Amino acid sequence: MIRTTLAGLMGHKLRLLLTSLAITLGVGFIAGTFVLTDTLEAGFGQRIAASADKVDVAVLPPRSDGDKPARLLASDLVKVRAAAGVADAQGLVQGDAALIGKDGKAVGDFPTAGVSIATGRLNRTAITAGTAPAAGDQVVIDENTAKTRGFTPGDTVEVLDGDREPHTFHVVGLFDVGIDQRLAYSGAVGFTTATAQAMTGEKVFTEIDVLAADGVSPESLKTAVASALGGTGYRVWTGEQLAKELARTNGANTEFLTLGLLMFGLVAMLVAALVIYNTFNILVAQRAREMALMRCIGATRKQIFGSIILESTAVGLVSSAVGLITGLGLGAGALAVLKATGQDLPSAGVSLAPRTIALALVIGLVVTVGAALLPARTATEVAPIAALRTQTEEHTFKAGLVRIVFAALFLASGAGATAAGVSLEAGPEGLFVVMGGGVLTFCAVLILGPVIVRPLSAFAGWAPAKLFGVPGRLAMDNSRRNPKRSATTTVALTIGVTLMTLISVITATTRATYTAQLDQQFPVDYMVSAQLTNASGPGDGALPPALAAGLRARPELASVVQIRQTEARIGGDRTQVGTFSGPYEPVLRQGSMRGFTTGSAVVADHIATNLRVKPGDTISLTTPKAGTVNLTVAGVIDSGSMLLPAVTVPDGAFEKYFGRLDDHQLLVNAKDGVTADVSRRAVEAATQAYPTAKVLSSTEVRSQFDEVLDMTLMIITGLLGLAILISLLGIANTLSLSVHERTRESALLRALGLTRPQLRRMLSVEALILGLIGAIVGVTLGVIFGWAATQTLVEDTLFRVPLTQVLLFVLLSGVAGVLAAVLPARKAARASIVTSLASE
């Protein structure tokens, strides 16, 4: 049986190729994901090791359990330097130091970080161009910021200190921020230690690095440093321990990427499993006489079952091995694309871990063999008498009671779970319940597939049957002839179309809802915001009152609303509390602004939910000037679209509670009749003297949101494209095997007058109908569960169905089905009529 099975595989190489291609793509995607993330982690590990190798012992502050991160004091540095065996010890400084760009504005939404560059061997900073700063007027800039802002060594730059006063420096070099994600996001400017302390206002250290004297081991130095510090809580590590900790912390950075990509890989594998299942089902049906003959000459049911499992094992191993090689190429290609787009990635070679090899082989093998189990069981039911039949038996389908009962149970459970999820408050819990309902409903559709495929074939095939005459009518009949096979073929495509429609509906609904909320809650032309700092406090993101006065003085502008805010404790938690002054009327979900007087507040809906309060209830606010005050809730605002702080109090009351603070944001409206270009220039001119003041228009806010949504949709569609591709391979594979199965039938049609072009057209239209069936079911499920999902994201959604995209999905599914049928149709048309009629 083993020799017979292997001989059969080698005798049908094309069939083997088509069968294994689906698994190859699925395994390749999963293996590529691990190759990509393993390579990134290996590269980061090299960076970490190279950096930590320069340190013998590192001292970090105790872990913080408060609002501010813990720091090391200057006295701690003195103690470390006094410890036995210390050759050198330097403290690392890190704080805010906003770099001014060539346009006169501070770089980024957050200020660049000011960091100290250590000297001597303890310098762990990788200087990639020029030299490290050696004098107080010298700085280095991180590579990415220098590239995007056009700075090079030799330039002169301005940097703001902690009091927002500008200082001039000479750029002497560029450096790599390494694995520090905060520095990678905000950018960084490196100073000498003394200058870093002066510019950032930080007199404390984030870390103290220690160099051992000659002959002193890191372990003994660690003991001596820990003893010198004396206190508890200090984290004293050797360089090797520091590297492991940094690697562990960095590992979480690729976890999210890995999980996200693996989700798409698992979808691809599910689609591949359906393709394999359908393929083996057809093969078993085609080889019924062959198996019956094997039974006649003595093969047992177990041997027949084993031959199918052996064949699937061979296919799984071959396709998994090819998929592993494909994944290696995909991972390397993804790295190349990321580097080409300017991403700062480590330069380690492509990493292929033993885990990746094992997982690729195991997943491919398990999926392939698992998909072949049911067809193998069916093969054991072939009776020996079937060897006497001249044609393959045409199986008729009947919907049994068991199928109907199970489908009804899954459908009822899915509908119930979906309804329950929609009824919950907007949030992740409701979304997860809806997702569960979607899975249960899809299981019901999967069970009912053979039942619904007949009416769907008639619906999808009505127009082709009218347009293409006899070939069209034959194609529609063929798509209905074996509903079980048609349903299994189309369900793979259904998965991809469902997910793509779901994402499109969510994107369109989110866009419409956000735009409506923006029009309602952002009824201004421009918003001026201060560059945010990384430290909280009254001065966080402050704009001086003179800026609002300057804007009001501009004749092109109609109104200016000032928003001030700070942090305070409400119910034991720190919350943003603020006020506004000027012509602005917030839209409330509950309550009324008529009650917004001294002793009252309006709160965001999430605050109202957490504190379980409604209009008329009282909340307790702890303030620095007035102590603890009780405020009556006047109204509730939608936190998803508001511009006000989480808790807003009247202007006069805010000063009594917190004193006179600078503005946090300014909302500006242009006068009627003033063009956008003129009003924008007026706002820019008024803010020019304030480098940290950022100007944003409502049009730009929409544009940024649209860009994020469009980019997300493009990425997800691209990743789901793999599942679509695999499902189309399934259609092509099914048609190829079906052509072989219907060889005599096709020859008879040719003998009765059907031309070669008509035969090709018949098979192409059949594939078109199959593609349309998958698209119709997928679009229906995608729209239904897209609506359900949007109800759990935010309240008061404006549901939208992107009809153009949905119709495009249906059209592309049909076209793709036709393309998948090109080779099978060509093969069928080329077959000899006489030879085909003589075949058995």
Side-chain angles (χ1 to χ4, degrees), residues 197-274:
Q197 290 179 317
M199 291 297 295
T200 62
E202 297 283 353
K203 305 302 180 184
V204 293
F205 307 109
T206 58
E207 182 181 328
I208 296 176
D209 290 343
V210 187
L211 182 65
D214 292 339
V216 178
S217 68
E219 290 295 338
S220 60
L221 182 62
K222 171 186 173 181
T223 303
V225 168
S227 176
L229 288 169
T232 58
Y234 291 101
R235 291 173 289 166
V236 183
W237 292 331
T238 63
E240 183 179 350
Q241 291 171 331
L242 175 64
K244 289 180 179 179
E245 175 64 16
L246 292 175
R248 184 191 64 80
T249 305
N250 175 69
N253 297 328
T254 58
E255 261 181 34
F256 183 77
L257 174 65
T258 304
L259 290 176
L261 291 176
L262 284 179
M263 284 180 61
F264 292 97
L266 292 176
V267 170
M269 290 305 297
L270 173 61
V271 174
L274 291 169

Side-chain angles (χ1 to χ4, degrees), residues 3 12 26 70 128 344 379 400 404 426 428 459 506 545 561 611 744 840:
R3 289 197 299 272
H12 299 86
T128 57
D344 180 26
I404 299 300
F459 175 75
I506 292 176
V561 178
L611 299 180
R744 298 185 76 249
E840 294 186 1

Side-chain angles (χ1 to χ4, degrees), residues 281-370:
N281 251 343
I282 298 172
L283 290 176
V284 167
Q286 288 179 357
R287 294 157 58 189
R289 291 188 68 221
E290 174 188 328
M291 294 175 185
L293 185 60
M294 298 291 290
R295 291 291 309 281
C296 285
I297 62 175
T300 64
R301 290 177 182 270
K302 288 184 178 180
Q303 287 177 316
I304 296 294
F305 182 86
S307 69
I308 300 296
I309 297 301
L310 177 61
E311 184 171 342
S312 65
T313 301
V315 170
L317 287 174
V318 171
S319 54
S320 299
V322 177
L324 180 61
I325 298 172
T326 303
L328 190 61
L330 287 174
L335 283 171
V337 170
L338 289 173
K339 289 184 178 180
T341 56
Q343 299 295 320
D344 180 26
L345 297 175
S347 57
V350 177
S351 177
L352 182 61
R355 174 205 58 190
T356 303
I357 298 174
L359 280 176
L361 296 177
V362 169
I363 290 174
L365 187 60
V366 168
V367 169
T368 307
V369 174

Side-chain angles (χ1 to χ4, degrees), residues 489-565:
T489 302
T490 57
V491 75
L493 182 62
T494 298
I495 293 174
V497 176
T498 299
L499 293 175
M500 292 178 70
T501 304
L502 175 72
I503 297 300
S504 298
V505 168
I506 292 176
T507 301
T509 300
T510 303
R511 196 191 309 274
T513 303
Y514 177 82
T515 300
Q517 290 177 345
L518 187 64
D519 291 338
Q520 185 181 59
Q521 298 286 349
F522 191 6
V524 294
D525 296 318
Y526 302 99
M527 180 171 67
V528 181
S529 302
Q531 186 184 56
L532 300 174
T533 62
N534 291 289
S536 61
D540 180 21
L543 296 169
L547 175 54
L551 287 166
R552 289 194 177 97
R554 302 293 304 193
E556 303 90 343
L557 307 179
S559 64
V560 178
V561 178
Q562 296 168 259
I563 297 177
R564 288 173 286 157
Q565 71 179 45

Side-chain angles (χ1 to χ4, degrees), residues 53-258:
D53 185 58
K54 298 179 180 180
V55 177
D56 291 317
V57 168
V59 180
L60 280 77
R63 298 188 186 278
S64 174
D65 56 358
D67 298 321
K68 291 186 177 181
R71 292 289 188 261
L72 296 166
L73 304 177
S75 58
D76 295 323
L77 179 59
V78 172
K79 293 177 182 178
V80 171
R81 285 176 172 168
V86 173
D88 187 16
Q90 298 183 38
L92 304 183
V93 178
Q94 184 171 317
D96 290 338
L99 174 67
I100 305 300
K102 293 186 175 181
D103 59 353
K105 291 290 185 179
V107 171
D109 294 329
F110 286 86
T112 48
V115 299
S116 62
I117 306 297
T119 58
R121 182 185 156 184
L122 287 176
N123 180 11
R124 293 161 49 193
T125 305
I127 303 296
T128 57
T131 61
D137 63 346
Q138 295 179 345
V139 295
V140 291
I141 301 176
D142 74 278
E143 289 179 304
N144 187 56
T145 300
K147 180 181 178 181
T148 56
R149 303 296 174 173
F151 290 121
T152 58
D155 288 347
T156 299
V157 297
E158 283 193 337
V159 183
L160 302 182
D161 62 17
D163 296 324
R164 303 299 174 99
E165 294 295 326
H167 298 263
T168 302
F169 294 91
H170 300 291
V171 180
V172 295
L174 307 178
F175 71 99
D176 181 4
V177 298
I179 65 168
D180 193 317
Q181 297 302 305
R182 186 240 159 167
L183 299 187
Y185 176 76
S186 66
V189 181
F191 309 90
T192 62
T193 300
T195 307
Q197 290 179 317
M199 291 297 295
T200 62
E202 297 283 353
K203 305 302 180 184
V204 293
F205 307 109
T206 58
E207 182 181 328
I208 296 176
D209 290 343
V210 187
L211 182 65
D214 292 339
V216 178
S217 68
E219 290 295 338
S220 60
L221 182 62
K222 171 186 173 181
T223 303
V225 168
S227 176
L229 288 169
T232 58
Y234 291 101
R235 291 173 289 166
V236 183
W237 292 331
T238 63
E240 183 179 350
Q241 291 171 331
L242 175 64
K244 289 180 179 179
E245 175 64 16
L246 292 175
R248 184 191 64 80
T249 305
N250 175 69
N253 297 328
T254 58
E255 261 181 34
F256 183 77
L257 174 65
T258 304

